[in-house]
Amino acid sequence: MSVSTAATAPTLCAPLPVLGRDVTVPLVTGGEVGYAALDYAASAPALQRVWDDVAAYAPYYGSVHRGAGYLSQLSTDLFENARRTVAGFLDCRPDDQLVFTRSTTDSLNLLAAALPAGCQVFVFETEHHAALLPWKDARVTCLDAPRTPLQAVAALERALADREPHGPALVCVTGASNVTGELWPVRELAAAAHAHGARIVLDAAQLAPHHPVSVRDLDVDWVAFSGHKLYAPFGSGVLAGRADWLRAAEPYLAGGGASRRVTRRADGGVDVQWHESAARHEAGSPNVIGAYAIASACEALTEAGFDSLVAREQYLVEKVRTGLAEVPGVRILSLFGDDAPRVGVISFVVDGWSSSHLAAALSAEHGIGVRDGLFCAHPLVRTLLDGDSRDQGECGASGAAPGERSLDAIRVSFGAGTPDEHVDRFVAAVRELVTRGAKWRYRTRDGRCVPEA
């Protein structure tokens, strides 16, 4: 994967309209300011287009797959058309299945439940916990954090070649790190996996909102992502890819919709014939609004054009990285180095500041929302901060007091809806806080740094 690193913006597209762009928030120093939402990597704001599409459909909402009435038929068509739209967005193969789930985490847990007996899973310690933790019923090999894309491919090839016995195997890898934003060599890792008889699933939670994702071009077996990171925060996610393991597995949830036929046996038991389609793993009433919202976001991003979106985002990335590099004591976290292609996700630490203190001051004094902590990627963050990836830590902010060193970081993230003014204000605010100090006093309460009343 390669991306543009344009540093000028004469022909870049405007930010896409998102909800919340006119929201103002109070400052502890007095007055109000427009809120700068720079935590896209956690949850991106809803695209205005998505909100409008959902609002237009809402009066026609009805049951899916079960009703003979007009609204039920309309909702069923909408749901299945959404499936086709998202499959097209991902450039799925003709025989792939696309299952609507609740999130990336849910998608990977579904795949984990569908693994064949004896399957071995290979995952780097750099993964989000959603990709590290679901494989509890499989034999897991956790690989050390690589320092170059070539090291990542070589480490995977060695691990796959050495595996015993040579049964089914699955590789799980991110497309873009939720900590550093760096793009991973997905196509090369997929080639290595397939050369050794393994399959691969791509965690595209941080990739799909920023770059086109082609299942065919990357040659991955499955891809998973969340709607709430793709400007569609309505509680839906996607798992798309090869159908055989999904068809062979017991339904992820047992219930209506997953079953084709249920009959009583003479002995009092129940026999069930399950669907072999995606419905097999979509028991219960489907989240038609969530699926429709994802499809709407896919259409909006496609129509805007990823070339333009990527170019503008890289312009913002360079503005933030260049600005932070000029602030004394700031260290930007990276696995692959300054020249590695990346999306709009940047994590950093500042000498003399706990991450919780700086994040609290950015919010309270400047109206800027970022994230601090370990970002549900504990081993990676601790490795990047020269700690031990096996150290224990808690999600969220550290308990370090203002001025104390903390083994966690600050993350700023942005995307298609971010205006230039937000990143400019962020860089200026970090510079002011680091060079002049906070204007307010802060204390630690319940593990978080908060302004004193």
Side-chain angles (χ1 to χ4, degrees):
M1 265 179 208
S2 61
V3 297
S4 167
T5 55
T8 58
T11 60
L12 299 184
C13 63
L16 298 184
V18 294
L19 297 186
R21 57 192 181 276
D22 299 324
V23 168
T24 60
V25 294
L27 302 179
V28 293
T29 51
E32 293 187 341
V33 68
Y35 184 64
L38 295 176
D39 193 16
Y40 275 46
S43 285
L47 283 174
Q48 185 68 53
R49 155 77 175 272
V50 170
W51 187 262
D52 291 344
D53 283 350
V54 167
Y57 161 66
Y60 300 93
Y61 172 78
S63 62
V64 177
H65 295 151
R66 291 162 175 76
Y70 178 81
L71 297 191
S72 292
Q73 293 295 308
L74 186 150
S75 295
T76 297
D77 288 344
L78 196 80
F79 185 71
E80 293 304 332
N81 283 333
R83 196 190 307 276
R84 286 186 283 272
T85 296
V86 179
F89 178 78
L90 296 172
D91 191 24
C92 289
R93 297 162 292 246
D95 56 350
D96 283 340
Q97 274 192 0
L98 190 146
V99 181
F100 283 115
T101 65
R102 291 174 293 183
S103 59
T104 308
T105 301
D106 195 37
S107 295
L108 293 175
N109 274 271
L110 164 57
L111 185 59
L115 295 181
C119 187
Q120 186 172 358
V121 175
F122 295 83
V123 61
F124 289 92
E125 69 172 358
T126 48
E127 294 293 319
H128 187 280
H129 293 171
L132 274 177
L133 303 181
W135 322 105
K136 56 185 179 295
D137 294 328
R139 187 156 55 98
V140 178
T141 298
C142 190
L143 305 176
D144 291 341
R147 288 298 179 166
T148 69
L150 288 176
Q151 282 185 11
V153 177
L156 180 61
E157 287 181 332
R158 286 193 301 271
L160 289 171
D162 293 342
R163 81 183 194 274
E164 293 285 348
H166 288 274
L170 177 71
V171 177
C172 181
V173 67
T174 187
S177 171
N178 79 303
V179 177
T180 68
E182 292 164 315
L183 299 180
W184 275 63
V186 176
R187 189 180 295 104
E188 292 80 3
L189 290 167
H194 294 153
H196 292 277
R199 297 190 181 190
I200 185 168
V201 57
L202 169 63
D203 173 358
Q206 300 296 341
L207 184 63
H210 304 276
H211 279 268
V213 175
S214 169
V215 169
R216 278 191 265 207
D217 182 52
L218 295 174
D219 197 23
V220 293
D221 298 282
W222 293 277
V223 61
F225 71 89
S226 293
H228 72 100
K229 298 185 191 298
L230 195 80
Y231 312 100
F234 291 92
S236 196
V238 168
L239 176 68
R242 302 201 180 277
D244 54 348
W245 286 7
L246 298 175
R247 286 175 180 157
E250 288 295 306
Y252 184 46
L253 296 173
S259 55
R260 174 177 291 177
R261 180 180 294 111
V262 180
T263 56
R264 287 286 304 276
R265 295 196 306 264
D267 62 5
V270 176
D271 286 327
V272 184
Q273 181 182 0
W274 304 106
H275 281 293
E276 293 190 355
S277 65
R280 184 182 188 90
H281 299 292
E282 292 177 344
S285 295
N287 180 359
V288 59
I289 286 181
Y292 181 45
I294 290 180
S296 173
C298 290
E299 289 179 336
L301 293 174
T302 300
E303 291 168 8
F306 268 108
D307 287 347
S308 296
L309 295 174
V310 168
R312 183 173 185 280
E313 184 173 306
Q314 291 309 304
Y315 166 68
L316 297 180
V317 166
E318 291 307 313
K319 289 186 78 168
V320 173
R321 286 175 57 83
T322 300
L324 289 178
E326 296 172 351
V327 180
V330 168
R331 174 189 165 198
I332 296 176
L333 304 185
S334 175
L335 269 177
F336 299 154
D338 290 342
D339 295 331
R342 65 194 74 228
V343 299
V345 178
I346 299 167
S347 296
F348 64 99
V349 292
V350 183
D351 292 343
W353 287 78
S354 76
S355 62
S356 183
H357 185 200
L358 185 58
L362 285 169
S363 176
E365 299 180 28
H366 297 274
I368 298 170
V370 297
R371 182 150 295 224
D372 62 283
L374 297 169
F375 319 125
C376 291
H378 296 184
L380 171 57
V381 176
R382 293 184 178 279
T383 293
L384 292 171
L385 293 178
D386 304 318
D388 189 328
S389 63
R390 296 166 295 180
D391 286 345
Q392 294 182 357
E394 296 182 4
C395 283
S398 74
E404 293 182 358
R405 181 180 184 273
S406 57
L407 200 59
D408 50 15
I410 303 125
R411 184 181 70 190
V412 55
S413 53
F414 41 87
T418 305
D420 290 29
E421 185 271 332
H422 285 185
V423 298
D424 291 338
R425 178 145 58 98
F426 165 76
V427 171
V430 172
R431 182 184 298 113
E432 179 179 328
L433 288 167
V434 172
T435 58
R436 299 182 183 178
K439 296 178 181 178
W440 206 261
R441 292 181 62 85
Y442 296 81
R443 64 187 178 90
T444 300
R445 184 181 67 195
D446 298 328
R448 288 209 62 86
C449 195
V450 297
E452 286 191 346

mmCIF file of all heavy atoms in Angstrom, residues 101-111 128-131 134 203 205 224-226 228 252:
data_model
loop_
_atom_site.group_PDB
_atom_site.id
_atom_site.type_symbol
_atom_site.label_atom_id
_atom_site.label_comp_id
_atom_site.label_asym_id
_atom_site.label_seq_id
_atom_site.Cartn_x
_atom_site.Cartn_y
_atom_site.Cartn_z
ATOM 1 N N THR A 101 -22.645 -7.723 11.695
ATOM 2 C CA THR A 101 -22.394 -7.995 13.108
ATOM 3 C C THR A 101 -22.619 -6.708 13.899
ATOM 4 O O THR A 101 -23.196 -5.752 13.392
ATOM 5 C CB THR A 101 -20.955 -8.489 13.299
ATOM 6 O OG1 THR A 101 -20.044 -7.429 12.951
ATOM 7 C CG2 THR A 101 -20.677 -9.708 12.421
ATOM 8 N N ARG A 102 -22.122 -6.684 15.120
ATOM 9 C CA ARG A 102 -22.264 -5.466 15.931
ATOM 10 C C ARG A 102 -21.045 -4.556 15.834
ATOM 11 O O ARG A 102 -21.151 -3.360 16.119
ATOM 12 C CB ARG A 102 -22.490 -5.851 17.397
ATOM 13 C CG ARG A 102 -23.833 -6.507 17.654
ATOM 14 C CD ARG A 102 -23.957 -7.006 19.072
ATOM 15 N NE ARG A 102 -23.035 -8.106 19.348
ATOM 16 C CZ ARG A 102 -22.970 -8.763 20.496
ATOM 17 N NH1 ARG A 102 -23.765 -8.417 21.488
ATOM 18 N NH2 ARG A 102 -22.119 -9.753 20.669
ATOM 19 N N SER A 103 -19.873 -5.103 15.469
ATOM 20 C CA SER A 103 -18.646 -4.319 15.505
ATOM 21 C C SER A 103 -17.503 -5.174 14.975
ATOM 22 O O SER A 103 -17.682 -6.362 14.684
ATOM 23 C CB SER A 103 -18.321 -3.902 16.951
ATOM 24 O OG SER A 103 -18.163 -5.065 17.765
ATOM 25 N N THR A 104 -16.315 -4.588 14.875
ATOM 26 C CA THR A 104 -15.120 -5.364 14.528
ATOM 27 C C THR A 104 -14.887 -6.459 15.557
ATOM 28 O O THR A 104 -14.572 -7.604 15.216
ATOM 29 C CB THR A 104 -13.880 -4.452 14.464
ATOM 30 O OG1 THR A 104 -14.142 -3.341 13.620
ATOM 31 C CG2 THR A 104 -12.672 -5.208 13.943
ATOM 32 N N THR A 105 -15.014 -6.109 16.824
ATOM 33 C CA THR A 105 -14.822 -7.091 17.898
ATOM 34 C C THR A 105 -15.775 -8.261 17.732
ATOM 35 O O THR A 105 -15.382 -9.428 17.845
ATOM 36 C CB THR A 105 -15.040 -6.421 19.265
ATOM 37 O OG1 THR A 105 -14.121 -5.334 19.420
ATOM 38 C CG2 THR A 105 -14.837 -7.415 20.400
ATOM 39 N N ASP A 106 -17.023 -7.967 17.470
ATOM 40 C CA ASP A 106 -18.018 -9.020 17.273
ATOM 41 C C ASP A 106 -17.676 -9.856 16.043
ATOM 42 O O ASP A 106 -17.804 -11.090 16.061
ATOM 43 C CB ASP A 106 -19.394 -8.381 17.113
ATOM 44 C CG ASP A 106 -20.532 -9.376 17.272
ATOM 45 O OD1 ASP A 106 -20.426 -10.278 18.120
ATOM 46 O OD2 ASP A 106 -21.539 -9.241 16.556
ATOM 47 N N SER A 107 -17.220 -9.211 14.974
ATOM 48 C CA SER A 107 -16.867 -9.934 13.755
ATOM 49 C C SER A 107 -15.742 -10.927 14.002
ATOM 50 O O SER A 107 -15.796 -12.081 13.549
ATOM 51 C CB SER A 107 -16.443 -8.946 12.662
ATOM 52 O OG SER A 107 -17.511 -8.116 12.284
ATOM 53 N N LEU A 108 -14.712 -10.499 14.718
ATOM 54 C CA LEU A 108 -13.573 -11.388 14.957
ATOM 55 C C LEU A 108 -13.926 -12.486 15.950
ATOM 56 O O LEU A 108 -13.414 -13.603 15.860
ATOM 57 C CB LEU A 108 -12.370 -10.573 15.426
ATOM 58 C CG LEU A 108 -11.812 -9.624 14.358
ATOM 59 C CD1 LEU A 108 -10.692 -8.757 14.927
ATOM 60 C CD2 LEU A 108 -11.305 -10.398 13.141
ATOM 61 N N ASN A 109 -14.818 -12.195 16.891
ATOM 62 C CA ASN A 109 -15.286 -13.261 17.782
ATOM 63 C C ASN A 109 -16.140 -14.267 17.019
ATOM 64 O O ASN A 109 -16.096 -15.469 17.307
ATOM 65 C CB ASN A 109 -16.072 -12.660 18.948
ATOM 66 C CG ASN A 109 -15.173 -12.246 20.100
ATOM 67 O OD1 ASN A 109 -14.889 -13.039 20.999
ATOM 68 N ND2 ASN A 109 -14.703 -11.008 20.061
ATOM 69 N N LEU A 110 -16.925 -13.811 16.047
ATOM 70 C CA LEU A 110 -17.677 -14.727 15.196
ATOM 71 C C LEU A 110 -16.732 -15.638 14.425
ATOM 72 O O LEU A 110 -16.942 -16.862 14.373
ATOM 73 C CB LEU A 110 -18.551 -13.930 14.229
ATOM 74 C CG LEU A 110 -19.122 -14.671 13.010
ATOM 75 C CD1 LEU A 110 -19.946 -15.874 13.430
ATOM 76 C CD2 LEU A 110 -19.957 -13.719 12.155
ATOM 77 N N LEU A 111 -15.698 -15.058 13.829
ATOM 78 C CA LEU A 111 -14.751 -15.885 13.093
ATOM 79 C C LEU A 111 -14.041 -16.859 14.028
ATOM 80 O O LEU A 111 -13.809 -18.022 13.662
ATOM 81 C CB LEU A 111 -13.737 -15.003 12.372
ATOM 82 C CG LEU A 111 -12.749 -15.735 11.472
ATOM 83 C CD1 LEU A 111 -13.462 -16.529 10.378
ATOM 84 C CD2 LEU A 111 -11.754 -14.751 10.846
ATOM 85 N N HIS A 128 -4.769 -4.575 18.126
ATOM 86 C CA HIS A 128 -5.822 -4.147 19.047
ATOM 87 C C HIS A 128 -6.340 -5.378 19.787
ATOM 88 O O HIS A 128 -6.291 -6.497 19.280
ATOM 89 C CB HIS A 128 -6.950 -3.495 18.239
ATOM 90 C CG HIS A 128 -8.016 -2.852 19.052
ATOM 91 N ND1 HIS A 128 -9.030 -3.571 19.651
ATOM 92 C CD2 HIS A 128 -8.253 -1.553 19.352
ATOM 93 C CE1 HIS A 128 -9.842 -2.746 20.285
ATOM 94 N NE2 HIS A 128 -9.398 -1.511 20.124
ATOM 95 N N HIS A 129 -6.829 -5.183 20.992
ATOM 96 C CA HIS A 129 -7.313 -6.321 21.773
ATOM 97 C C HIS A 129 -8.431 -7.079 21.069
ATOM 98 O O HIS A 129 -8.621 -8.277 21.305
ATOM 99 C CB HIS A 129 -7.808 -5.841 23.140
ATOM 100 C CG HIS A 129 -6.719 -5.307 24.012
ATOM 101 N ND1 HIS A 129 -6.956 -4.659 25.188
ATOM 102 C CD2 HIS A 129 -5.367 -5.319 23.860
ATOM 103 C CE1 HIS A 129 -5.817 -4.292 25.744
ATOM 104 N NE2 HIS A 129 -4.845 -4.673 24.944
ATOM 105 N N ALA A 130 -9.176 -6.402 20.199
ATOM 106 C CA ALA A 130 -10.233 -7.087 19.448
ATOM 107 C C ALA A 130 -9.666 -8.184 18.569
ATOM 108 O O ALA A 130 -10.364 -9.161 18.251
ATOM 109 C CB ALA A 130 -10.999 -6.089 18.583
ATOM 110 N N ALA A 131 -8.406 -8.036 18.161
ATOM 111 C CA ALA A 131 -7.754 -9.051 17.335
ATOM 112 C C ALA A 131 -6.845 -9.964 18.151
ATOM 113 O O ALA A 131 -6.525 -11.070 17.708
ATOM 114 C CB ALA A 131 -6.940 -8.378 16.224
ATOM 115 N N PRO A 134 -9.858 -12.807 20.930
ATOM 116 C CA PRO A 134 -10.996 -13.714 20.683
ATOM 117 C C PRO A 134 -10.640 -15.181 20.535
ATOM 118 O O PRO A 134 -11.542 -16.026 20.551
ATOM 119 C CB PRO A 134 -11.587 -13.188 19.351
ATOM 120 C CG PRO A 134 -11.061 -11.817 19.202
ATOM 121 C CD PRO A 134 -9.704 -11.849 19.834
ATOM 122 N N ASP A 203 -8.123 -6.994 9.963
ATOM 123 C CA ASP A 203 -8.828 -6.045 10.821
ATOM 124 C C ASP A 203 -8.719 -4.684 10.149
ATOM 125 O O ASP A 203 -7.679 -4.020 10.202
ATOM 126 C CB ASP A 203 -8.182 -6.030 12.213
ATOM 127 C CG ASP A 203 -8.751 -4.946 13.119
ATOM 128 O OD1 ASP A 203 -9.616 -4.180 12.664
ATOM 129 O OD2 ASP A 203 -8.307 -4.856 14.285
ATOM 130 N N ALA A 205 -10.629 -2.011 10.778
ATOM 131 C CA ALA A 205 -11.344 -0.991 11.541
ATOM 132 C C ALA A 205 -10.758 0.396 11.323
ATOM 133 O O ALA A 205 -11.493 1.382 11.196
ATOM 134 C CB ALA A 205 -11.337 -1.337 13.025
ATOM 135 N N ALA A 224 -12.817 -7.476 8.440
ATOM 136 C CA ALA A 224 -13.748 -7.063 9.489
ATOM 137 C C ALA A 224 -13.594 -5.568 9.737
ATOM 138 O O ALA A 224 -12.469 -5.049 9.719
ATOM 139 C CB ALA A 224 -13.478 -7.835 10.781
ATOM 140 N N PHE A 225 -14.719 -4.881 9.954
ATOM 141 C CA PHE A 225 -14.649 -3.476 10.349
ATOM 142 C C PHE A 225 -15.924 -3.074 11.054
ATOM 143 O O PHE A 225 -16.909 -3.821 11.076
ATOM 144 C CB PHE A 225 -14.351 -2.560 9.152
ATOM 145 C CG PHE A 225 -15.477 -2.410 8.164
ATOM 146 C CD1 PHE A 225 -16.433 -1.419 8.329
ATOM 147 C CD2 PHE A 225 -15.583 -3.242 7.058
ATOM 148 C CE1 PHE A 225 -17.468 -1.259 7.415
ATOM 149 C CE2 PHE A 225 -16.606 -3.094 6.137
ATOM 150 C CZ PHE A 225 -17.560 -2.098 6.319
ATOM 151 N N SER A 226 -15.915 -1.860 11.640
ATOM 152 C CA SER A 226 -17.042 -1.354 12.417
ATOM 153 C C SER A 226 -17.675 -0.154 11.737
ATOM 154 O O SER A 226 -16.964 0.703 11.190
ATOM 155 C CB SER A 226 -16.581 -0.921 13.820
ATOM 156 O OG SER A 226 -16.156 -2.013 14.590
ATOM 157 N N HIS A 228 -19.155 2.319 13.342
ATOM 158 C CA HIS A 228 -18.969 3.557 14.116
ATOM 159 C C HIS A 228 -17.630 4.221 13.841
ATOM 160 O O HIS A 228 -17.444 5.397 14.170
ATOM 161 C CB HIS A 228 -19.143 3.300 15.621
ATOM 162 C CG HIS A 228 -18.021 2.531 16.252
ATOM 163 N ND1 HIS A 228 -17.020 3.137 16.974
ATOM 164 C CD2 HIS A 228 -17.756 1.198 16.278
ATOM 165 C CE1 HIS A 228 -16.185 2.215 17.428
ATOM 166 N NE2 HIS A 228 -16.611 1.048 17.021
ATOM 167 N N TYR A 252 -23.441 -18.613 15.267
ATOM 168 C CA TYR A 252 -22.822 -17.793 16.308
ATOM 169 C C TYR A 252 -23.801 -17.554 17.450
ATOM 170 O O TYR A 252 -23.442 -17.591 18.631
ATOM 171 C CB TYR A 252 -22.400 -16.469 15.663
ATOM 172 C CG TYR A 252 -21.651 -15.523 16.553
ATOM 173 C CD1 TYR A 252 -20.606 -15.955 17.367
ATOM 174 C CD2 TYR A 252 -21.959 -14.167 16.560
ATOM 175 C CE1 TYR A 252 -19.902 -15.075 18.160
ATOM 176 C CE2 TYR A 252 -21.255 -13.272 17.345
ATOM 177 C CZ TYR A 252 -20.232 -13.731 18.146
ATOM 178 O OH TYR A 252 -19.525 -12.844 18.926
#
